[in-house]
Amino acid sequence: MVIIEVTNLEKTYVNDGVETHALRGVSFSVNSGEFIAIMGPSGSGKSTLLHILGFLDPHTGGEYKFDGKSITDYSKQEIAKVRNKKMGFIFQAFNLLARTTVLENVKLPLLYSDVPESKWNELALQAIESVGLSHRINHESSQLSGGEKQRVAIARALVNNPQVIFADEPTGNLDSKSGQVVMDIIQRLSEEQGRTVILITHETYTAEHAERIITMRDGQIESDKTVGQRHHAREQFIK
Amino acid sequence: MILKHSFKTAVIGLKSHKSRSALTILGIVIGITAIILVMAVGRGAENLILDQIRGLGSRTIIIEPGREPQGPSSFAEFFTDSLKQKDVDTLLKPTNVQGIKELTPEVILVTTVSYGNESIRTNVIGSSYLMAKILDIYPDKGTYFTDEDIRQKASVVVIGSKIKEKLFGDSDAVGEKIKVKDRLYRVIGTLPQKGQVSLFNADDMVVLPYTTVQQYITGTNYFNSIIVQAESEEIVSRVVKEIKLTLRESHNIDDPEKDDFHITTQADAVERVKMITGILTILLVSVAAISLLVGGVGIMNIMLVSVTERTREIGLRKSLGATEKDIMQQFLFEAIILTAIGGVIGILLGAFFSFLTSLILSQIVSLGWAFSFPISAVLLGLGVSGFVGLVFGLYPARQASIKSPIEALRYE
Ligand SMILES: Nc1ncnc2c1ncn2[C@@H]1O[C@H](COP(=O)(O)OP(=O)(O)OP(=O)(O)O)[C@@H](O)[C@H]1O
Ligand SMILES: [Mg+2]
């Protein structure tokens, strides 16, 4: 079942009359439950694409259908709902709330959901446990290491049980050890929980954890291949 | 998101930015405290003056010689000699003016009174018992002089509390003889402390029969004023009209423009004072408005400085599913909470300082100074700082909430 479908997607930024064509006709589709890696050189439009797919920025041309419905047909309320319930976004820059504890950060999406308040703690604690941070619940976000921050961001993306997870270079700022931990979590989201995962990375090795690799160049898709020999973060761990 | 959570989120947001919240509250507190203080003092001054005028009683009519002073050049007319005993007698005839309950002429001058080695310059008032009635001040020791004393030009004097204190200290004054401008008078009564009543400082005066003052002190035959008490408040304007007609006739005046006397009633005086204190209040309020503005600019500054951080926060919240309405609710609550806290502190401080000021002023200026707490100042202060908080808190929030989450997160 196709969950994401883009046709001729374009994004043009206009700053002070200067146009930047970040996406120039991108077409592909993603099946529910697929694990896709997006690769490509810096400036090729990966983040731009992911933001549009994640309902965080509007596109300027072409069409984007999520769940069979064109994004232009979603009302503001529906867009907020989709962001809240169906998507989890992991930013490269973490984007945690400053001066706020791990627990409160992870609870944030629940605040805007229709999950009853009585369940918030339980759900947040579960999500925090799944990223192995139970011992850091009451730390403020500024007191965490980069790897820990990224795991809080993942827990926050997971807490509302979303169908699709978007991750923009989640291991980009991490050492290889913390990177492995994060990749293990993401891979399990896909394999054990059947979520759709779209991940940006510029490391081929990391990309090969996915089932399929889309490579971008200059705002267009250069190649779209299935991964023959997948890596499994779990196995790397055991070694 | 339900309101309860908007509210909680706002509280958490404020708590996690303690110094920003505290500074904003401080701005509001300064504005509200200042405006309450200033308006309370203005109101207190107005009430004090009005009370003093009303102290004369609403039935009191004052006739003074000369035209009503129009400016410095006509000031001399104040001292004319147009009011004499003949006018008193004419006015007292019921066929001329109906409804006069009582009437007293007055002679006023400043001179030295002394007892033993002590001497003091003070107001000497020649009057009748009506003076005591109008000022509502009666001897606490001894008696007042009678109409008989007036007829006899008796050498008796009633002294105010400050004069008694200065000349006699704690010892008894009644029965003693004091000198008023070189001649001895027997003290027959002392007055209790009263403070300012209209233009008179009732503590700093000595009162003698007006006939005595004319005979032995001024050596003149005219009065500084004639004070009339009408039978009731309702007939004051008719009595005034009849007094005017009577005096014009007896002074042979055809043209009202050429009147050699003028008449003041309490209602006129109240009107004039209200106008003056009104102007004063406007002045004071403009000063307070500046402090409100300063407070407002403070709030504005803090809000604007934090816009960058807040814009990112708004972007993040939206990316996690917050709607524009959720965001606005959160910021609205923040503004309301800050304004409420600042408002309450400001009102308490404003009330406290106003009270303190009224205590101090009642010592320095007059015992009659009363504490007054102007509700309009509270509303004005709350209104302005609330408005500033809303505009400078909500406007940037609104701007941020209509951006796409990524645009907001990228904001620098
Ligand atoms: N807000 C913006 N205004 C103007 N141009 C932009 C803006 N955001 C991105 N771009 C441009 O769009 C292009 C694609 O940017 P994008 O961030 O998608 O690249 P990327 O593939 O994610 O790169 P990286 O690997 O370095 O993160 C770049 O040329 C960039 O300069
Ligand atoms: Mg990028």
Side-chain angles (χ1 to χ4, degrees):
Chain A
M1 187 203 130
V2 174
I3 184 154
I4 285 172
E5 187 180 4
V6 293
T7 326
N8 254 324
L9 196 69
E10 285 177 25
K11 174 75 179 181
T12 307
Y13 294 104
V14 183
N15 285 322
D16 303 324
V18 181
E19 292 192 352
T20 312
H21 299 280
L23 294 179
R24 301 187 293 172
V26 174
S27 305
F28 69 101
S29 51
V30 179
N31 284 323
S32 189
E34 249 189 309
F35 183 0
I36 297 182
I38 300 178
M39 295 193 69
S42 184
S44 57
K46 307 181 294 291
S47 295
T48 303
L49 176 63
L50 206 68
H51 293 154
I52 293 171
L53 296 182
F55 280 27
L56 300 182
D57 219 10
H59 62 289
T60 52
E63 198 184 25
Y64 171 24
K65 276 188 185 169
F66 180 82
D67 238 353
K69 184 170 159 185
S70 172
I71 186 169
T72 48
D73 293 338
Y74 283 87
S75 71
K76 278 187 188 174
Q77 254 63 30
E78 286 171 327
I79 287 178
K81 257 208 174 116
V82 170
R83 283 176 192 148
N84 183 253
K85 282 172 126 178
K86 300 198 171 171
M87 298 174 173
F89 210 100
I90 303 164
F91 299 92
Q92 187 173 359
F94 319 133
N95 286 330
L96 302 180
L97 265 193
R99 282 162 280 208
T100 306
T101 62
V102 168
L103 185 63
E104 293 302 323
N105 262 295
V106 173
K107 268 192 202 169
L108 216 49
L110 295 169
L111 220 70
Y112 302 106
S113 71
D114 38 26
V115 176
E117 193 182 355
S118 54
K119 289 200 177 157
W120 290 2
N121 259 326
E122 187 193 330
L123 288 173
L125 290 174
Q126 257 175 28
I128 293 170
E129 198 190 334
S130 75
V131 296
L133 276 182
S134 299
H135 56 299
R136 292 279 185 269
I137 289 172
N138 291 317
H139 278 55
E140 290 199 353
S141 42
S142 57
Q143 299 164 336
L144 301 174
S145 76
E148 287 171 333
K149 281 182 190 163
Q150 194 58 285
R151 278 144 72 193
V152 175
I154 296 173
R156 185 179 63 190
L158 293 180
V159 75
N160 244 344
N161 197 18
Q163 273 173 276
V164 190
I165 303 275
F166 299 99
D168 193 348
E169 301 202 41
T171 59
N173 289 325
L174 308 180
D175 64 37
S176 59
K177 178 89 191 302
S178 323
Q180 276 306 325
V181 174
V182 167
M183 281 315 295
D184 176 45
I185 296 168
I186 290 175
Q187 204 160 34
R188 276 190 290 146
L189 292 179
S190 158
E191 283 174 8
E192 292 171 17
Q193 302 175 11
R195 297 177 210 267
T196 310
V197 176
I198 302 181
L199 165 110
I200 293 179
T201 177
H202 54 259
E203 297 160 20
T204 315
Y205 180 80
T206 306
E208 282 169 356
H209 286 76
E211 299 164 351
R212 183 177 150 197
I213 297 177
I214 293 176
T215 310
M216 296 192 60
R217 185 175 293 276
D218 291 339
Q220 287 174 317
I221 293 182
E222 189 183 55
S223 69
D224 187 344
K225 291 178 191 152
T226 310
V227 178
Q229 191 69 48
R230 287 182 69 191
H231 297 297
H232 290 275
R234 175 57 50 89
E235 291 164 13
Q236 290 305 21
F237 253 158
I238 294 163
K239 270 186 200 170
Chain B
M1 183 162 63
I2 52 180
L3 282 178
K4 186 180 116 198
H5 296 137
S6 290
F7 186 77
K8 270 193 188 166
T9 305
V11 171
I12 291 170
L14 293 175
K15 273 190 185 160
S16 61
H17 299 86
K18 290 208 177 63
S19 55
R20 185 175 76 201
S21 308
L23 285 172
T24 310
I25 290 174
L26 184 69
I28 297 172
V29 168
I30 290 175
I32 294 184
T33 305
I35 201 145
I36 288 177
L37 180 59
V38 161
M39 284 178 80
V41 171
R43 185 74 60 83
E46 181 176 301
N47 286 344
L48 176 70
I49 299 171
L50 289 181
D51 276 355
Q52 286 179 357
I53 292 171
R54 291 197 181 111
L56 283 183
S58 55
R59 294 178 290 143
T60 305
I61 299 162
I62 300 168
I63 312 166
E64 285 168 303
R67 302 238 323 262
E68 201 167 348
Q70 307 285 324
S73 61
S74 58
F75 202 67
E77 289 176 297
F78 228 90
F79 303 101
T80 59
D81 55 359
S82 56
L83 296 178
K84 298 184 178 156
Q85 186 62 40
K86 183 189 74 164
D87 297 310
V88 172
D89 299 338
T90 319
L91 288 173
L92 278 175
K93 274 192 197 127
T95 45
N96 288 329
V97 184
Q98 252 190 354
I100 290 183
K101 184 150 179 268
E102 280 179 273
L103 176 154
T104 181
E106 262 194 337
V107 188
I108 300 176
L109 73 153
V110 176
T111 189
T112 308
V113 299
S114 57
Y115 175 75
N117 294 327
E118 298 289 341
S119 71
I120 184 171
R121 274 182 81 76
T122 186
N123 300 303
V124 173
I125 295 167
S127 185
S128 75
Y129 185 64
L130 182 59
M131 181 76 183
K133 273 196 187 164
I134 289 175
L135 296 186
D136 189 28
I137 177 169
Y138 305 95
D140 53 352
K141 288 209 179 102
T143 55
Y144 216 85
F145 48 82
T146 58
D147 288 349
E148 183 58 26
D149 290 328
I150 293 173
R151 236 168 281 133
Q152 309 240 324
K153 302 176 185 170
S155 296
V156 291
V157 62
V158 174
I159 63 176
S161 62
K162 198 176 144 196
I163 307 301
K164 142 92 178 48
E165 174 87 29
K166 179 85 174 119
L167 297 185
F168 296 95
D170 288 336
S171 53
D172 242 1
V174 177
E176 301 295 320
K177 287 195 167 170
I178 63 169
K179 233 183 217 176
V180 179
K181 206 186 174 196
D182 306 331
R183 201 170 167 276
L184 285 172
Y185 299 85
R186 189 162 51 86
V187 178
I188 57 166
T190 61
L191 298 173
Q193 195 177 350
K194 171 89 178 185
Q196 194 85 17
V197 182
S198 184
L199 299 171
F200 303 101
N201 184 336
D203 301 336
D204 188 5
M205 67 175 186
V206 300
V207 191
L208 299 89
Y210 67 89
T211 49
T212 310
V213 174
Q214 285 189 320
Q215 176 82 28
Y216 302 113
I217 301 177
T218 62
T220 54
N221 64 346
Y222 51 85
F223 305 123
N224 294 95
S225 62
I226 296 173
I227 298 177
V228 176
Q229 188 122 67
E231 272 164 5
S232 73
E233 197 178 331
E234 290 75 49
I235 62 166
V236 165
S237 60
R238 182 179 57 72
V239 172
V240 167
K241 207 181 286 167
E242 291 182 8
I243 290 172
K244 278 184 182 166
L245 292 175
T246 306
L247 288 181
R248 272 177 207 145
E249 197 179 296
S250 78
H251 292 188
N252 290 319
I253 296 167
D254 305 322
D255 181 4
E257 289 285 306
K258 295 195 173 129
D259 277 357
D260 58 1
F261 62 91
H262 64 273
I263 295 176
T264 318
T265 62
Q266 187 235 49
D268 299 337
V270 166
E271 267 324 293
R272 243 175 287 158
V273 165
K274 274 194 171 160
M275 197 187 77
I276 293 168
T277 51
I279 294 169
L280 259 174
T281 303
I282 290 173
L283 229 129
L284 288 174
V285 166
S286 339
V287 172
I290 292 172
S291 48
L292 261 187
L293 200 74
V294 171
V297 168
I299 299 172
M300 186 176 97
N301 239 314
I302 296 151
M303 295 288 191
L304 290 181
V305 164
S306 61
V307 161
T308 310
E309 191 189 342
R310 311 288 347 235
T311 302
R312 293 216 183 102
E313 179 189 331
I314 290 168
L316 175 66
R317 288 180 184 276
K318 278 193 74 184
S319 78
L320 298 177
T323 59
E324 284 168 32
K325 191 177 142 235
D326 292 333
I327 301 291
M328 292 321 286
Q329 255 173 28
Q330 176 192 336
F331 277 73
L332 188 66
F333 272 123
E334 285 192 12
I336 291 174
I337 293 169
L338 288 179
T339 312
I341 295 176
V344 168
I345 298 176
I347 290 168
L348 290 179
L349 280 183
F352 173 73
F353 282 121
S354 312
F355 183 67
L356 209 68
T357 312
S358 74
L359 275 188
I360 294 169
L361 288 178
S362 72
Q363 291 305 310
I364 299 176
V365 182
S366 159
L367 283 177
W369 193 289
F371 171 61
S372 92
F373 187 72
I375 296 296
S376 54
V378 174
L379 295 180
L380 188 65
L382 271 180
V384 172
S385 43
F387 178 76
V388 171
L390 285 185
V391 169
F392 293 101
L394 290 192
Y395 179 73
R398 172 88 198 131
Q399 291 303 302
S401 78
I402 57 179
K403 287 188 168 121
S404 83
I406 285 301
E407 220 183 314
L409 276 167
R410 209 184 270 138
Y411 187 84
E412 277 171 355

